[in-house]
Amino acid sequence: MDVCRWQISWIVGLLLFLSYVIGDFDKRDYLKREHTLVKPYSGSGFSVPLWDFVGTTMVTNNYVRLTPDYQSRQGGIWNTMPLMVKNWELHVHFKVHGSGKNLFGDGFAVWYARDRNQLGPVFGNKDFFVGLGIFLDTYSNHNGPHNHEHPYISAMVNNGTLHYDHDRDGTHTEIAGCEAKFRNKEYDTYVAIRYQDETLKVSTDIDNEGKWKECFIVHGVKLPIGYYIGATAATGELADNHDIISMKLYELESLKKEDDTAAYQGLPSAQFFASPRDHIEDPKGGFTSGSMSGWKVFIIIIIAIIGLAVCGVVGYVVFNKDGGYNSKRFY
């Protein structure tokens, strides 16, 4: 009987081991190494095969630092190979940290974009971009009331016509977002971006629990193949270290039983946008700022006339019996 129990235990253990090995093998099979950045980074000299670096980006043995903890820095890392798969998942191992206790910024972004290596005001990348941006924003620039705190993760899909408004923290162009306390952690922090069957899902592992927690999920997102994976960061008057430790991209299978549709080739689009939030304009952007253009003067004159009419004396006329007119005051 003991021998039988030992054999059963051995068989169960073997099956568990094989399932683990096969599962790990399948996962590694779908890893797209040409779109993956892992240690050791360096190839020959200071170059990293299949990746370009722009701005203040610095490569070390343990991380790729997009920006140091200094003001007015921009940096980025971009894959040189266009991504030619319809369904994919990107895991980013990152670290955002710095000396600031209460004031720090600005954050970093993970990209699936048509254009690369172009520094700009959107977390170190160009504005009016074409593609998908996932923004990990650490500082609130919003002048009106937020319905969330920072740090904050949000997504934006752009066909090249939308402006990312830093004064509003992009709230008028985001498709979804969630709060995520990922800064100054003593343990590893990760974000996962999954695009599968026109559904975008972003998850985080930032609580040292070794499991993914859903941040948001959005349906009806269309992204073409052939864009580039990248990550950028920026600092302004406030600063932080923005480090990328690894980026791993996996090809996914469609969840549809039959997926014979050709890969989407149009411009990026999204069916849903988050509701815009109230915004209080800066004084420099107010009505009275700048020169007094013609339409502003015209409106002021109209308002003045209306004010005089309301506050002044308005007579209404009553015909008298003797044929005269009698004016009475109306307040």
Side-chain angles (χ1 to χ4, degrees):
M1 182 66 87
D2 291 338
V3 175
C4 183
R5 289 178 178 175
W6 179 86
Q7 289 177 336
I8 293 174
S9 299
W10 185 85
I11 293 172
V12 170
L14 179 62
L15 290 174
L16 290 173
F17 174 76
L18 290 175
S19 66
Y20 172 80
V21 172
I22 292 172
D24 187 60
F25 177 77
D26 288 342
K27 185 176 180 180
R28 286 186 286 107
D29 253 5
Y30 286 100
L31 179 68
K32 307 295 288 185
R33 298 190 182 278
E34 65 271 27
H35 304 294
T36 293
L37 176 73
V38 293
K39 294 185 287 186
Y41 308 115
S42 298
S44 57
F46 294 99
S47 65
V48 176
L50 303 178
W51 294 88
D52 285 340
F53 303 91
V54 293
T56 58
T57 302
M58 177 180 64
V59 182
T60 73
N61 292 330
N62 297 314
Y63 53 81
V64 176
R65 177 155 293 170
L66 303 178
T67 69
D69 193 3
Y70 296 109
Q71 296 177 329
S72 304
R73 300 292 195 269
Q74 292 182 350
I77 176 174
W78 289 91
N79 191 210
T80 62
M81 300 289 292
L83 181 58
M84 305 304 294
V85 299
K86 293 195 298 182
N87 302 297
W88 48 267
E89 182 166 328
L90 179 65
H91 294 178
V92 181
H93 181 190
F94 68 93
K95 187 175 183 64
V96 177
H97 57 107
S99 58
K101 300 299 181 183
N102 298 315
L103 295 176
F104 41 81
D106 284 329
F108 76 101
V110 181
W111 301 94
Y112 177 67
R114 184 186 66 185
D115 307 308
R116 63 190 189 92
N117 295 345
Q118 298 185 30
L119 295 173
V122 186
F123 297 96
N125 192 32
K126 61 175 288 187
D127 200 0
F128 297 99
F129 62 91
V130 179
L132 168 69
I134 305 296
F135 307 135
L136 291 88
D137 192 352
T138 55
Y139 179 72
S140 173
N141 298 289
H142 200 283
N143 297 317
H146 267 310
N147 63 355
H148 63 76
E149 296 181 357
H150 279 69
Y152 187 73
I153 301 177
S154 64
M156 177 178 175
V157 175
N158 200 348
N159 60 7
T161 65
L162 299 177
H163 162 62
Y164 180 84
D165 191 342
H166 263 290
D167 287 342
R168 306 185 183 204
D169 289 327
T171 54
H172 283 54
T173 50
E174 76 172 47
I175 59 174
C178 75
E179 298 176 13
K181 305 299 183 183
F182 54 77
R183 183 183 179 271
N184 265 359
K185 300 297 184 182
E186 297 297 328
Y187 45 82
D188 294 332
T189 49
Y190 302 85
V191 62
I193 304 161
R194 174 185 286 252
Y195 179 69
Q196 187 175 35
D197 298 328
E198 297 185 357
T199 296
L200 175 68
K201 180 180 180 181
V202 173
S203 304
T204 59
D205 179 6
I206 57 176
D207 298 320
N208 202 27
E209 295 179 351
K211 61 182 181 181
W212 295 114
K213 177 183 178 182
E214 181 180 314
C215 175
F216 58 79
I217 183 168
V218 183
H219 303 283
V221 176
K222 290 188 176 183
L223 300 175
I225 62 171
Y227 285 9
Y228 296 92
I229 298 294
T232 62
T235 64
E237 295 182 4
L238 304 175
D240 251 343
N241 297 304
H242 298 96
D243 300 340
I244 300 295
I245 291 90
S246 69
M247 300 177 70
K248 298 179 180 180
L249 189 129
Y250 299 92
E251 182 178 2
L252 304 177
E253 294 181 353
S254 173
L255 297 177
K256 301 177 181 178
K257 293 183 179 179
E258 295 183 4
D259 185 22
D260 297 329
T261 58
Y264 179 66
Q265 297 288 349
L267 288 172
S269 65
Q271 294 180 357
F272 173 81
F273 282 84
S275 299
R277 304 178 180 94
D278 293 334
H279 175 67
I280 301 173
E281 296 290 349
D282 287 326
K284 63 182 181 181
F287 177 81
T288 58
S289 65
S291 62
M292 294 295 288
S293 60
W295 70 269
K296 290 183 179 180
V297 175
F298 175 76
I299 291 177
I300 291 174
I301 293 174
I302 295 298
I303 293 174
I305 292 174
I306 294 173
L308 289 174
V310 172
C311 297
V313 177
V314 179
Y316 69 89
V317 179
V318 178
F319 187 76
N320 293 328
K321 291 181 180 179
D322 58 0
Y325 287 90
N326 186 13
S327 177
K328 296 185 178 180
R329 289 186 177 181
F330 176 73
Y331 295 94

